[in-house]
Amino acid sequence: MFSRRTPAPGGANRLTRALASRRSPWVDLTATNPTAVSLGVDTSSALALLADPGGARYAPDPRGIEGARRAVSAYYAGRGAALAPGRVVLTASSSEAYGWLFKLLCEPGEAVLVPAPSYPLLDALAALEGVGLRRYPLAAEEGWAVDASRVASEVERVEAAGGRVAAVVVVNPNNPTGTSVGRDAWRVLDALAARHGFALVSDEVFLDYRFKTLEDEVRVAASEPGEALVFSLGGLSKAAALPQLKLGWIAAAGPEPLLAEALERLEWIADSYLSVATPVQLALGPLLERGAEAAAALRARIEANDATLRAAFPPGGGVSVAPLLAGWSAVVRVPAVEAEEELVLRLLGDHGVLVHPGYFFEFPHEAFLVASLLPAEGVFRDGVARLAAGLRAGPARPGPG
């Protein structure tokens, strides 16, 4: 009776079950909701912007109200990227943007390539659209950078098996590694996409959270001249720390007439949903301007918590903390003396601290932990102290006999 695109009930993993059964409190170092981490930024002014009287009238534009699309263009212009409003389509979220792009680009069963490690939500989004997800590796020894030759190898494998790659996703900057796509790698990807007839999707939701910017980084892929069809994703969730207001966007680029056809087809998809509320569209310009304050507060929080984490695990020890390049996550490499899942369960059960195991993000081998850098600084210090104590304690040794 039910679609295989949705999971059967009762499939919760061990960590989820452990959390559900735990009765004593714990420190959550997986929290990534900016509205729930005591940021100290007044959100009442943002909510007041939704009271524009024009929001009482429903006159939808499938691509999004023109004034809102102009606000997105202005947002990009402030970051040195030229993207005309006519190349912008509004969505209710980045997740919806992925869904629309998979509808636009993929026949059922065709392949979408995504990086590993990366955010696990992509699996669910691809499954819901009946798309086959394939991974191309980001190598630890190469600093988790995108290597276009690894993408090319995966494309060749798919085609050799009689399949087709419909799109290649880059998460730029990557979540959780924080690495961005270099311009040389992007040029090779662009040429590869044009040659094999697939699109490039650049998830840039962490655009405003780069802490170490390199000169050759691609910041906004849809503003780069190239041969292939390209889509850049962004939204209020990260740009203004307002995930509850549910507005994202797709910015498109590519050669004509391919770009014009893509936008026309996207408009048809958008018209079938009309999912973005009018009040948030009318308020988008001021919300993005206000978002600079929230982003600054978040950046200060992230850098302070990163310093706390590094102080707990200085260089030269058995535990290493990856450089803070971009995003909201810290990647911690630990000695592989126990399986990641067992380690995370032990840290929760014995020390009352929750972190993610690296395999959630498809790290290529053990042992990695991923922690959010968003919690309030006092909470984070407590969590890091518990984490350090748990790692020092090590796994329980079997008794004699």
Side-chain angles (χ1 to χ4, degrees), residues 263-339:
L263 287 167
E264 186 173 342
R265 287 173 178 265
L266 260 181
E267 181 175 331
W268 184 87
I269 294 169
D271 197 28
S272 300
Y273 288 85
L274 296 175
S275 55
V276 189
T278 300
V280 70
Q281 292 189 64
L282 293 174
L284 183 56
L287 287 172
L288 286 170
E289 292 172 6
R290 174 208 167 277
E293 178 190 359
L298 279 170
R299 288 171 63 92
R301 167 76 59 81
I302 291 163
E303 290 181 304
N305 284 343
D306 178 68
T308 296
L309 186 63
R310 290 180 192 285
F313 302 108
V319 177
S320 60
V321 181
L324 176 60
L325 302 175
W328 294 355
S329 297
V331 176
V332 181
R333 189 166 187 174
V334 301
V337 295
E338 61 186 311

Side-chain angles (χ1 to χ4, degrees), residues 57-81:
R57 180 171 177 267
Y58 185 54
D61 181 328
R63 295 193 191 189
I65 295 170
E66 185 178 354
R69 289 186 285 115
R70 283 200 305 269
V72 174
S73 294
Y75 166 81
Y76 280 123
R79 287 146 185 80

Side-chain angles (χ1 to χ4, degrees), residues 88-151:
V88 173
V89 177
L90 301 186
T91 67
S93 64
S94 295
S95 295
E96 185 174 74
Y98 274 114
W100 289 5
L101 290 174
F102 291 164
K103 289 176 175 66
L104 172 72
L105 300 168
C106 309
E107 295 292 349
E110 289 187 335
V112 172
L113 306 190
V114 301
S118 191
Y119 192 57
L121 179 63
L122 295 173
D123 294 83
L125 298 177
L128 287 169
E129 301 300 334
V131 172
L133 212 62
R134 300 283 292 262
R135 288 178 167 81
Y136 61 90
L138 309 178
E141 60 272 18
E142 297 167 4
W144 309 113
V146 173
D147 183 340
S149 68
R150 297 177 187 274
V151 179

Side-chain angles (χ1 to χ4, degrees), residues 237-260:
S237 176
K238 307 299 189 297
L242 292 168
Q244 73 274 34
L245 295 192
K246 307 308 296 178
L247 188 146
W249 57 78
I250 302 166
E256 296 288 357
L258 192 61
L259 174 60

